[in-house]
Amino acid sequence: MEWADKALKRLEEIAKARGFSDLLEEYLRPAIEAETVDPRGLVVEAERGLKAVVRDVRVMRDGDRPRVVVEYEVNSVTKSFSFIWGVRKGGIVIASVNLSDERPLVLAALLNDKTIRRKRGAMRLYAKHLFALAKYRGVGWELLRWYAEVMRE
């Protein structure tokens, strides 16, 4: 995706030259960082000695919506969970994920959001969470492409 890197660098230069570089963080940063991190091997540790290792994070299509699948290993047992992104009225991007067992720990590490660690039950994810996932290899461009498509409609 060399063309994407060139385009993003050019947009960054233009934004800085015109004095609106503050918008870079909000709009261009997720694209600049897209697919720069390999999530495989990410180790998540909890206070009670629990340790989970992320094995894979990928996007699969569920109709026209992206399903994020997270595979991880705990005590030599491979587990997984997934969530599907959608759009509510008013253009709000949302996904719902059921947090049980180690899932809050794994999701908190992937999203770099420690407040998730203690949550249980259904949790809603929003665009900021989608952008946090965009940095992962195998996930980023697919999620950002889908986001751009639904925001254009």
Side-chain angles (χ1 to χ4, degrees):
M1 299 246 174
E2 188 177 323
W3 64 268
D5 289 336
K6 287 181 182 178
L8 288 171
K9 285 181 183 173
R10 183 65 183 132
L11 285 171
E12 192 172 17
E13 290 169 6
I14 292 169
K16 286 179 180 174
R18 301 228 170 125
F20 54 91
S21 59
D22 57 321
L23 296 176
L24 287 175
E25 191 63 34
E26 184 176 355
Y27 295 104
L28 289 181
R29 189 66 47 212
I32 291 169
E33 294 175 350
E35 304 227 7
T36 59
V37 176
D38 187 349
R40 295 174 295 182
L42 176 66
V43 177
V44 181
E45 295 190 47
E47 299 81 32
R48 58 184 195 256
L50 179 70
K51 183 170 125 180
V53 179
V54 175
R55 292 291 169 221
D56 193 23
V57 180
R58 65 185 179 278
V59 173
M60 301 170 61
R61 281 294 182 158
D62 194 304
D64 61 345
R65 301 181 329 162
R67 173 188 295 270
V68 175
V69 179
V70 179
E71 281 185 17
Y72 62 99
E73 184 178 304
V74 175
N75 298 330
S76 301
V77 176
T78 301
K79 299 181 177 186
S80 69
F81 65 94
S82 66
F83 46 94
I84 301 171
W85 289 97
V87 182
R88 280 193 343 200
K89 284 184 179 181
I92 297 171
V93 172
I94 193 166
S96 183
V97 61
N98 184 18
L99 298 178
S100 60
D101 303 322
E102 309 82 23
R103 292 178 185 179
L105 300 172
V106 174
L107 195 59
L110 288 172
L111 299 176
N112 195 26
D113 184 348
K114 292 181 182 183
T115 63
I116 297 171
R117 292 175 65 95
R118 302 206 191 301
K119 295 192 181 217
R120 297 291 181 267
M123 178 184 171
R124 291 190 177 180
L125 303 175
Y126 296 97
K128 71 177 185 172
H129 300 114
L130 182 143
F131 293 144
L133 288 169
K135 69 183 172 189
Y136 294 113
R137 197 166 295 140
V139 176
W141 286 117
E142 185 70 26
L143 287 179
L144 292 175
R145 188 175 303 119
W146 175 81
Y147 180 82
E149 288 169 7
V150 297
M151 290 297 109
R152 189 174 35 213
E153 294 174 357

